[in-house]
Amino acid sequence: MEHSFVMQCIADPKPSARRYPTVEKRAKVFNGTSYVPIPEDGPFLKSLLFELRLLDEDRDFMESRDSCSRINKTSVYGLKVGGEELWPVVAFLKNGIVYACVPLVEQTLSPRPALISISAISQGFELLFGIQDFLYSSQKIDTELNTKLSQLPDLLLQACPFGTLLDANLQNSLDSISFASVTHPQKQPAWKAGTYKGKPQVSIAITEKVKSMQYDKQDIADTWQVVGTVTCKCDLEGIMPNVTISLSLPTNGSPLQDILVHPCVTSLDSAILTSSSIDAMDDSAFSGPYKFPFTPPLESFNLCYYTSQVPVPPILGFYQMKEEEVQLKITVNLKLHESVKNNFKFCEAHIPFYNRGPITHVEYKVSFGQLEVFREKSLLIWIIGQKFPKSMEISLSGTVTFGAKSHEKQPFDHICIGGTAYLKLHFRILDYTLTGCYADQHSVQVFASGKPKISTHRKLISSDYYIWNSKAPAPVTYGSLLL
Amino acid sequence: MGLLSREAWAQRLGAFRASPSAYMAAPEGEDLGRDLLSDLRSEKLSEQTKVSMLALSLEYPAQLWPDAPAAEAAATSLLDTLVLLPPRPSALRRPLLLAATTALVTGGVLGPTSGASLRLLPLLLGLASGGDLGRGFGPSSEQRPLQATACECLRELESCKPGLLGGCLGLLRGLLGQEGPVAPVQPLSLLLALALRNTLVIQARARASLQGLLTVRAPPPGGGPWNWTLAQEGDAHLQPQAPSWPAAEEECGLSALEPSPEEARELRAAVAQLLDTSYLLTPVAQAQLLWLLGWALRGLRGQPPVLFKPQLVRLLGTAQLALLHAVLALKAAFGEALFTAQDEALLLRRLTLAAQHPALPLPAHLFYLHCLLSFPENCPLGPAGEEAAPLLLEPQLCRGLLPNLLHDPLALLARLHLLCLLCAEDEQKEEKGQAQSPCHYLQELLAGLQQRAALTGGPRALATLCFQASYLVALCLAGHRTVLAPLTHGLAQLYRARPALAPHFVDLLDRVAPELGEPLRVVLRQEVVSRPGGGEALRWHLQMLAKVADRDAQSATLGFLQAAAAHCTDWGLQQALLRVCRALLRVGVGGGLADLLQALARQLEDPDGRDHARLYYVLLSHLSGPKLGVALGPSLAAPALTSSLVAENQGFATALMVQEAPAPIRLSVGPQRAEGPVPVLQLQVEVLEPVYSLELRFRVEGQLYAPLGAVHVPCLCPGRPARPLLLPLQPQRPAPAQLDIRALYTKSTGLTCYTHLPPLPVKFADLFLPFPKPPEGARLGFFEELWDSCLPKGTESRLWCPLGPQGLEALVSRHLEPFVVVARPPTSYHIAIRLPPDSKLLLRLEAAQADGVPVVLRTDAWAVLPLVGDYLRGLSAAV
């Protein structure tokens, strides 16, 4: 139950907001003397932006913001409002939009109850995540954002008429307006606005993102991890069609772990529930097939997420950077692992230089691909292309010279100080997963009228794939120290 | 205002939303509520415009219809509008229902005396049960959404008035169980769950039974009166509650409810019915249902929580925040009864995993991390209400939850907290100093944070983060020298690298406990005073020094200040320098400081600076140490003011100026002394609190007496008898007077106070002095000589002095003894009184009778005659 919800695009000074006076009325009773009324949108927003450090007044030390004892460990804030503190305010910034709401606390606020004991906190998060998903579900974000923003009031009237959230999936609420006239002989799930009419088809897409931190150091272990998302779109007739999808691994595939499923999944094998990256790996790890029985919603949804620990990173490399008088001397070496499909949609290595002036001069030698120089951005991009050469190993060496630093133009970074530097790999391989995970068309069971057409897709994408300069300190995770 | 166009309404609504209070304060605000209601019926406005008007009324009913009658009228009008809609599809029915509900609730009019309530409730219940309401509720295509809306409205009404639907439980159960074309499951389920919970709570509080409420299926409305009984009991109980959380175990008190076996069976059936269809609800609604049912069944006898078990595995697998949170609520509510030790371990693992799963957003990670540290354990060990790592959360499991420099500030602090908790445990286990020990990792992390904060020109947020982390570490690991020592060292290095962070250091020193604060203070002082006095960073050094300076290392500090003085060329720097001097004054640094202040008083360019230096010098040389501390200490008078100058002035005002205060002193006149050359008043003094350096000042109106000297007392304490104070009087005329008294004193806190005491009377008799006694034989002659000398300049008078039962002898011995010259007891006395400055009063009391004595008196001061008369007449009364 929310008192109020406020959303604000940083660029647009006028917030979209919704208030719930009946909830506020209850808050007054529940909170008793500790009740703080919600201010009007303007003051609320100002206080919120201050708290989130989004007001452009960072220059001087301000106790109310910078004091060491004002520690926030969650996205729940107390806002200073006319000498009192409005709490709890759930708020976060995403893609330039601030999302915020004030959940109802059904007890007195002093002493402050623990967040875990307030049911409306998670409901508040769900509301905000739901709005964020709705706004960003489309590819053509810029053009559609305004349309979607203008739809919000009507959608909230539908999905949250009295401040109690009925459905975090706003797209579903939008659909339910158009499906309203259908009468139902059977019990209809609330998360499914209507029924599908047309040719049955099921589409399954597995996207794996691989991230890595490579140091090329004796005392620091490299880390890498695969994160998979299985997305489904089931166009099937009937109110509650049942579908089972099985994910399989090849013989030497890496077991899936940390599996989180969509709420429409009706049951889960305990082996799926317990396979976790927290535990030390052993050979007895469950390696599938991973069965997911579910009744699909109308829209495309993420059936499950998983992580996996593959034995080697797809591309292993090192990066050495040394300051030599006025110039930097760099050496990069990258090696594609032989087990990885050598057919990229694209593959690039971005080598940024932070906290320095613009690039004035580059001398380099590449064994493969080409180098692009972005002088003003102090950035080198090594375009590797679609394939690694037969040797699977490529290298780059060169020297870079910089001009005088001018503060506005060149990028600032608070990690890359002195010799600390990284290169970041960007690549994509289609029809491939690093774990080997795949959804076999024949293993998809559909209990619905008509034989559906089943299509499957796979891809591997790099994400946060860093190779750190091995000649200088680099930020490490705790896991990297456990050699 | 007449009918408005679409554009006019859009503009009006926009203006209102921009600032509701400003709009309603302006003249155009007055009619908004009324216009809105009437224009809803206008045929010229589009439905879209009307929906936006209704949306406004949903958000701001209290502004539009501020009092109960207005809210009642608005709800009635909205219901009329609803009924008058033509029977074709309309987007207005739903918002009209919502608006009428909102108006009734926020206006506080929902109840048996409100006509609108009595119309709305049967209407909603009729819609919810899918009954045919005839024309006006038009097309059947709208029936289903309206059914859902009606349930939502009823749920809101039940939330605000618990027990309202207590009589409809059976009906709702029936609707939910219906076969065939069915009512929407989610709104009905949530409505039933809420009404069920509220009924259980109300009946338990009233110690009543369920009275078959779960089974009666007869629909109450349809003309019959609404049953308000439960709601009226419930209304008094809409009070703070902690749903489903163990801390509120005692208040829950559902155990008072003792359902009969049949009722228990029905209740179980109702809950099972709700849970069985819960998969049809959206995830957020499922979570609400679980919270409500968990709350409803907690502590209720004969209701085993195993009903929830089939749902748990499904819920544990999801990534949905609300669902996992609801599982935690069930865990808190039922503990071991629902979760075995293995279940608990699994839940903890899922939570640990969710707190770091790369597919989930950061706010969810942080919330899960909070849940992990507040985890409702089956067998909690630590104190309740404090964040702590649960017992089953082994350090091994937390590996992925530890912070690193790449984390966002919120995540870094949250994970740092966990790391500190691990370090606190770790310390006890091992002291090997391994590279991968959590404490070692913590040190590396802090060093990294310090390095980032040291970046010149870096954003303040980075510095703030470093200090927040330091604070958190000092808080969690206060007793851990192995962590605090390197932290202190690192912070000192940070200061060396970036003195501009001085305000952060001052803030940190203000807030941390002495375990970190004291060593940090010492190293920072060394850091500052070991530098040459000039440079760009001087203002930061001075700010820092004002915080850390104390009696230690005086000479180094003074040396630094002397060197710095030459560089303090502008007002700001001079003030900063003087603030350090002031801090030194406070802590009692003497000798060298006086020289420095004298030098500054001559040398500083700014006159204000020179004045301050001189003032401090004067204070240093004139005030004792404690007084100086008080004078320069934090001002009590102006705690809210942050300006140092104002605070300083206020501080001086309280400390150095005299404060008016209620008197802790009581004065009274003691017995008469009647000796010596002048009359002396004996004053008795009592105090209620210790008083030092008391000075009493006396004044007499007019010029009756010569100016009176002050009386000084060094120290007075309550309960310790004080010697009487002697106040010599020098009358100009022999006349009584009022003494006006003021007291000036110092309190034990060092403050000087001033107070006006109640006046004391100086009576006529207080001025009496005896004549020097002549030798025994010459007394009669002496008296006769005085007697004769009064005339002819003076006067003679005869009075009757009444006597009390004790007679003349007692009267004389009590009041006139010192002045008797010739006595022939018991009947005759000759009395001579000296009246300063130079008058006399002679009395012959002779031939006393039983009830009085005739008095012949002579005096050389005419003016005293009436006083003598009053005096003598008053004597007998005074005996």
Side-chain angles (χ1 to χ4, degrees):
Chain A
M1 277 142 272
E2 269 44 62
H3 294 274
S4 103
F5 137 79
V6 173
M7 216 196 62
Q8 147 111 82
C9 299
I10 296 296
D12 176 6
K14 209 170 92 230
S16 308
R18 176 80 162 89
R19 283 162 190 274
Y20 295 101
T22 54
V23 185
E24 181 118 27
K25 179 115 182 159
R26 267 176 279 157
K28 214 178 281 181
V29 178
F30 288 139
N31 301 161
T33 48
S34 55
Y35 168 74
V36 177
I38 294 182
E40 292 192 356
D41 298 354
F44 179 91
L45 204 65
K46 194 166 171 225
S47 174
L48 179 64
L49 295 181
F50 177 79
E51 194 61 40
L52 295 177
R53 294 182 159 269
L54 294 171
L55 290 181
D56 198 20
E57 294 161 11
D58 202 32
R59 219 163 290 150
D60 292 323
F61 175 85
M62 281 176 80
E63 192 184 311
S64 57
R65 180 193 60 205
D66 297 319
S67 172
C68 61
S69 60
R70 286 182 57 83
I71 292 181
N72 246 335
K73 295 180 287 179
T74 58
S75 312
V76 180
Y77 300 87
L79 299 190
K80 287 270 180 304
V81 171
E84 290 175 301
E85 195 167 31
L86 179 68
W87 183 89
V89 179
V90 172
F92 56 84
L93 170 74
K94 185 86 189 182
N95 297 328
I97 295 184
V98 177
Y99 300 82
C101 67
V102 187
L104 172 70
V105 182
E106 293 180 90
Q107 51 189 305
T108 172
L109 297 174
S110 63
R112 264 188 198 177
L115 292 179
I116 191 176
S117 71
I118 305 169
S119 65
I121 294 285
S122 54
Q123 296 275 328
F125 275 117
E126 296 280 9
L127 170 69
L128 302 182
F129 292 153
I131 293 170
Q132 185 207 324
D133 285 349
F134 170 71
L135 293 179
Y136 283 88
S137 58
S138 153
Q139 302 293 318
K140 298 170 285 176
I141 284 165
D142 287 344
T143 48
E144 282 193 13
L145 190 59
N146 279 333
T147 323
K148 291 195 164 186
L149 279 172
S150 68
Q151 286 173 325
L152 263 188
D154 282 348
L155 282 181
L156 284 178
L157 197 63
Q158 202 73 24
C160 193
F162 283 114
T164 306
L165 187 59
L166 306 180
D167 192 353
N169 183 345
L170 297 189
Q171 191 63 45
N172 189 41
S173 298
L174 190 63
D175 296 341
S176 76
I177 299 175
S178 50
F179 276 113
S181 60
V182 191
T183 54
H184 307 277
Q186 217 190 319
K187 281 185 177 155
Q188 174 85 11
W191 36 266
K192 194 168 175 183
T195 48
Y196 173 77
K197 294 264 186 293
K199 242 172 59 183
Q201 50 189 355
V202 173
S203 146
I204 306 161
I206 303 174
T207 305
E208 286 189 349
K209 288 186 177 174
V210 58
K211 41 186 195 174
S212 183
M213 295 279 250
Q214 297 179 19
Y215 302 99
D216 185 33
K217 284 188 182 176
Q218 289 289 318
D219 52 343
I220 305 176
D222 294 347
T223 59
W224 57 94
Q225 188 185 34
V226 175
V227 186
T229 306
V230 181
T231 310
C232 290
K233 175 89 169 80
C234 302
D235 297 329
L236 299 168
E237 294 195 338
I239 289 182
M240 298 276 284
N242 281 310
V243 182
T244 301
I245 289 180
S246 299
L247 301 179
S248 309
L249 294 175
T251 337
N252 283 328
S254 309
L256 309 188
Q257 301 171 317
D258 303 343
I259 297 169
L260 301 175
V261 297
H262 190 268
C264 73
V265 174
T266 48
S267 69
L268 264 189
D269 194 299
S270 66
I272 293 183
L273 205 53
T274 51
S275 88
S276 139
S277 64
I278 299 169
D279 303 294
M281 285 269 288
D282 57 31
D283 295 338
S284 65
F286 179 66
S287 59
Y290 304 85
K291 280 181 188 281
F292 300 99
F294 60 96
T295 42
L298 283 177
E299 69 279 357
S300 163
F301 68 101
N302 293 329
L303 176 67
C304 74
Y305 304 101
Y306 60 83
T307 70
S308 182
Q309 193 57 61
V310 292
V312 286
I315 297 175
L316 188 66
F318 66 77
Y319 173 32
Q320 295 173 349
M321 184 193 94
K322 267 185 166 171
E323 200 136 18
E324 285 184 353
E325 289 166 21
V326 291
Q327 60 188 19
L328 288 182
K329 187 161 182 279
I330 60 170
T331 313
V332 180
N333 190 291
L334 300 175
K335 187 169 191 294
L336 180 69
H337 194 264
E338 59 203 11
S339 66
V340 177
K341 179 175 171 184
N342 190 4
N343 185 359
F344 291 80
K345 181 104 198 294
F346 63 86
C347 182
E348 295 171 355
H350 290 217
I351 311 169
F353 301 97
Y354 291 107
N355 312 324
R356 299 175 191 276
I359 295 174
T360 51
H361 183 70
V362 182
E363 268 174 45
Y364 69 96
K365 202 173 89 188
V366 286
S367 70
F368 193 78
Q370 337 90 71
L371 193 71
E372 285 189 9
V373 181
F374 296 83
R375 289 173 186 272
E376 283 302 309
K377 288 185 190 160
S378 315
L379 172 70
L380 301 179
I381 297 184
W382 182 13
I383 298 172
I384 297 155
Q386 269 71 46
K387 263 184 188 313
F388 272 63
K390 273 230 173 82
S391 65
M392 300 284 186
E393 196 163 350
I394 57 176
S395 61
L396 157 72
S397 58
T399 54
V400 190
T401 317
F402 298 90
K405 191 153 60 168
S406 73
H407 274 288
E408 288 76 35
K409 282 185 190 155
Q410 274 72 43
F412 172 82
D413 188 87
H414 48 74
I415 300 285
C416 296
I417 308 161
T420 301
Y422 63 81
L423 75 81
K424 194 174 175 187
L425 287 180
H426 297 258
F427 57 84
R428 179 176 291 226
I429 307 175
L430 296 183
D431 204 21
Y432 177 75
T433 53
L434 209 51
T435 57
C437 175
Y438 63 97
D440 187 355
Q441 294 197 7
H442 306 292
S443 71
V444 177
Q445 295 173 307
V446 176
F447 307 94
S449 55
K451 190 171 162 41
K453 184 184 158 220
I454 292 166
S455 54
T456 61
H457 312 269
R458 298 197 293 171
K459 65 178 172 235
L460 174 71
I461 307 174
S462 70
S463 146
D464 298 336
Y465 205 105
Y466 292 98
I467 298 174
W468 293 91
N469 175 17
S470 53
K471 299 290 175 200
V476 290
T477 61
Y478 187 63
S480 300
L481 294 175
L482 297 171
L483 273 173
Chain B
M1 205 178 281
L3 194 61
L4 289 171
S5 67
R6 185 170 63 86
E7 292 74 20
W9 266 111
Q11 200 184 10
R12 209 170 171 195
L13 298 181
F16 176 89
R17 280 183 183 279
S19 173
S21 57
Y23 187 89
M24 293 312 283
E28 62 267 29
E30 207 174 305
D31 300 325
L32 183 64
R34 208 187 55 213
D35 293 349
L36 190 144
L37 289 173
S38 69
D39 280 11
L40 278 176
R41 297 189 199 164
S42 146
E43 289 179 9
K44 294 191 179 135
L45 292 174
S46 69
E47 284 205 332
Q48 193 48 47
T49 303
K50 290 182 188 174
V51 168
S52 60
M53 286 156 68
L54 284 170
L56 192 81
S57 80
L58 284 175
E59 292 190 63
Y60 297 98
Q63 284 79 358
L64 296 174
W65 310 297
D67 51 15
E72 168 81 18
T76 307
S77 167
L78 290 165
L79 285 172
D80 290 342
T81 307
L82 179 68
V83 176
L84 291 173
L85 285 179
R88 58 168 186 265
S90 163
L92 293 179
R93 289 194 179 85
R94 192 167 179 272
L96 277 169
L97 285 175
L98 299 176
T101 305
T102 305
L104 282 181
V105 169
T106 47
V109 287
L110 180 66
T113 55
S114 143
S117 305
L118 297 179
R119 281 176 67 193
L120 180 66
L121 283 168
L123 174 67
L124 291 175
L125 200 62
L127 281 170
S129 33
D132 183 13
L133 293 170
R135 260 171 49 81
F137 281 91
S140 61
S141 65
E142 263 185 70
Q143 195 190 349
R144 206 179 146 79
L146 282 181
Q147 205 174 353
T149 303
C151 290
E152 297 308 334
C153 291
L154 286 172
R155 177 146 72 113
E156 198 59 22
L157 294 172
E158 170 74 29
S159 301
C160 296
K161 218 172 189 60
L164 186 70
L165 293 170
C168 307
L169 290 175
L171 176 77
L172 295 173
R173 285 185 65 196
L175 286 172
L176 197 59
Q178 246 169 26
E179 297 295 330
V182 286
V185 176
Q186 174 166 310
L188 266 178
S189 296
L190 293 175
L191 178 59
L192 175 58
L194 178 69
L196 187 65
R197 184 200 74 175
N198 287 348
T199 304
L200 288 173
V201 173
I202 293 167
Q203 294 300 79
R205 282 191 184 133
R207 307 202 169 263
S209 79
L210 289 173
Q211 298 162 338
L213 285 168
L214 287 168
T215 42
V216 180
R217 300 205 172 189
W226 190 270
N227 181 359
W228 292 92
T229 339
L230 276 184
Q232 270 150 3
E233 278 168 27
D235 199 27
H237 294 295
L238 185 62
Q239 60 189 19
Q241 50 188 249
S244 201
W245 220 256
E249 197 88 61
E250 302 75 34
E251 303 119 56
C252 168
L254 278 183
S255 51
L257 199 64
E258 288 183 34
S260 67
E262 194 192 334
E263 283 171 341
R265 200 166 49 244
E266 282 297 329
L267 185 57
R268 211 155 40 234
V271 172
Q273 184 187 11
L274 286 168
L275 287 174
D276 285 349
T277 50
S278 67
Y279 70 97
L280 294 169
L281 275 50
T282 62
V284 286
Q286 284 181 42
Q288 291 160 23
L289 188 79
L290 292 173
W291 277 87
L292 285 172
L293 294 181
W295 210 95
L297 294 194
R298 183 163 59 94
L300 196 60
R301 287 182 206 174
Q303 296 295 336
V306 285
L307 283 174
F308 292 100
K309 205 120 197 178
Q311 309 293 329
L312 290 180
V313 176
R314 183 173 67 85
L315 298 174
L316 278 180
T318 73
Q320 201 91 30
L321 192 69
L323 288 177
L324 217 44
H325 193 197
V327 172
L328 288 168
L330 292 178
K331 175 80 175 65
F334 300 110
E336 252 173 322
L338 188 56
F339 290 80
T340 62
Q342 286 85 353
D343 294 340
E344 182 174 56
L346 176 64
L347 177 56
L348 207 52
R349 276 161 176 274
R350 292 300 292 183
L351 203 54
T352 312
L353 183 156
Q356 55 184 299
H357 201 291
L360 299 180
L362 175 69
H365 284 168
L366 297 175
F367 183 67
Y368 285 134
L369 197 53
H370 162 80
C371 291
L372 204 56
L373 296 186
S374 314
F375 186 76
E377 297 179 88
N378 283 350
C379 314
L381 282 181
E386 251 176 55
E387 288 196 322
L391 204 61
L392 288 172
L393 186 75
E394 297 150 17
Q396 176 76 4
L397 295 183
C398 300
R399 270 194 347 227
L401 285 176
L402 297 186
N404 68 56
L405 288 179
L406 298 172
H407 281 127
D408 168 281
L410 289 179
L412 190 132
L413 290 171
R415 287 164 169 243
L416 180 66
H417 187 200
L418 179 67
L419 177 59
C420 288
L421 293 174
L422 292 180
C423 287
E425 277 176 22
D426 193 56
E427 180 102 321
Q428 298 146 11
K429 286 186 215 145
E430 49 142 2
E431 306 222 331
K432 288 170 258 169
Q434 292 167 342
Q436 61 267 57
S437 83
C439 285
H440 180 77
Y441 184 68
L442 175 66
Q443 283 165 27
E444 301 258 296
L445 183 78
L446 289 172
L449 285 170
Q450 284 152 6
Q451 198 194 357
R452 283 200 316 190
L455 273 184
T456 310
R460 185 164 299 279
L462 284 180
T464 302
L465 182 62
C466 175
F467 284 91
Q468 285 171 331
S470 307
Y471 174 78
L472 194 61
V473 169
L475 196 68
C476 297
L477 298 169
H480 296 63
R481 285 280 313 145
T482 48
V483 175
L484 294 190
L487 175 60
T488 311
H489 178 70
L491 286 171
Q493 275 186 322
L494 173 60
Y495 182 76
R496 194 179 310 150
R498 200 175 168 196
L501 298 181
H504 289 271
F505 280 97
V506 171
D507 174 60
L508 182 69
L509 286 170
D510 276 339
R511 280 157 220 279
V512 289
E515 284 88 348
L516 176 66
E518 283 312 316
L520 184 59
R521 194 181 287 272
V522 172
V523 294
L524 286 173
R525 190 182 55 231
Q526 285 163 356
E527 203 55 56
V528 173
V529 300
S530 60
R531 291 159 182 266
E536 256 176 64
L538 183 58
R539 59 185 277 238
W540 303 120
H541 293 326
L542 291 172
Q543 185 179 6
M544 198 68 252
L545 203 51
K547 181 74 199 168
V548 299
D550 64 14
R551 296 173 73 106
D552 300 333
Q554 280 183 36
S555 61
T557 307
L558 290 171
F560 172 81
L561 291 176
Q562 251 141 17
H567 302 278
C568 290
T569 43
D570 69 14
W571 184 85
L573 282 175
Q574 291 175 13
Q575 290 300 315
L577 181 69
L578 287 163
R579 265 194 287 277
V580 184
C581 295
R582 186 190 150 105
L584 290 172
L585 278 177
R586 265 185 72 195
V587 296
V589 171
L593 183 60
D595 298 341
L596 175 66
L597 286 171
Q598 271 188 311
L600 291 179
R602 283 194 306 271
Q603 168 190 340
L604 291 181
E605 282 170 26
D606 185 77
D608 184 38
R610 285 199 302 270
D611 281 352
H612 263 82
R614 204 168 296 122
L615 172 65
Y616 289 158
Y617 176 72
V618 171
L619 291 174
L620 176 62
S621 50
H622 287 79
L623 294 182
S624 62
K627 178 99 187 173
L628 200 56
V630 173
L632 295 166
S635 159
L636 300 171
L641 289 168
T642 45
S643 153
S644 64
L645 289 180
V646 177
E648 183 164 85
N649 286 339
Q650 296 275 1
F652 287 151
T654 40
L656 297 183
M657 295 175 61
V658 177
Q659 307 290 303
E660 187 145 8
I665 306 161
R666 226 176 277 145
L667 274 186
S668 55
V669 181
Q672 202 179 351
R673 274 166 51 101
E675 59 180 50
V678 293
V680 172
L681 217 50
Q682 268 199 97
L683 298 174
Q684 306 284 0
V685 54
E686 281 175 273
V687 290
L688 304 174
E689 59 177 271
V691 159
Y692 303 94
S693 313
L694 173 65
E695 178 178 317
L696 292 166
R697 294 177 187 171
F698 303 90
R699 211 167 62 87
V700 175
E701 276 300 329
Q703 296 193 326
L704 289 176
Y705 304 163
L708 298 170
V711 176
H712 294 270
V713 189
C715 165
L716 287 168
C717 286
R720 203 182 299 165
R723 285 196 319 187
L725 310 178
L726 301 181
L727 176 67
L729 303 173
Q730 289 181 305
Q732 312 276 28
R733 284 192 284 135
Q738 286 270 358
L739 286 181
D740 178 70
I741 313 165
R742 283 147 210 264
L744 204 64
Y745 57 94
T746 304
K747 293 207 216 193
S748 46
T749 53
L751 289 182
T752 301
C753 295
Y754 150 88
T755 188
H756 205 152
L757 295 175
L760 285 180
V762 181
K763 297 196 293 290
F764 180 51
D766 291 333
L767 304 179
F768 292 0
L769 289 172
F771 278 95
K773 287 262 160 62
E776 194 61 46
R779 289 193 180 172
L780 187 59
F782 174 71
F783 183 79
E784 292 300 343
E785 204 174 313
L786 286 174
W787 184 259
D788 293 339
S789 70
C790 284
L791 294 177
K793 272 162 74 186
T795 181
E796 180 177 303
S797 177
R798 281 156 198 270
L799 293 169
W800 175 256
C801 174
L803 290 177
Q806 286 98 336
L808 180 64
E809 199 172 359
L811 181 134
V812 169
S813 80
R814 184 171 295 245
H815 296 288
L816 295 167
E817 183 67 48
F819 316 109
V820 173
V821 183
V822 184
R824 293 192 200 95
T827 54
S828 171
Y829 296 90
H830 292 178
I831 291 164
I833 298 169
R834 206 149 63 80
L835 288 176
D838 50 7
S839 309
K840 49 190 176 277
L841 170 66
L842 306 169
L843 307 172
R844 282 173 192 264
L845 288 74
E846 284 167 326
Q849 293 166 25
D851 57 344
V853 59
V855 180
V856 185
L857 70 86
R858 278 189 183 181
T859 175
D860 51 3
W862 285 77
V864 305
L865 277 181
L867 298 171
V868 179
D870 288 345
Y871 172 69
L872 288 177
R873 275 189 293 273
L875 284 182
S876 66
V879 169

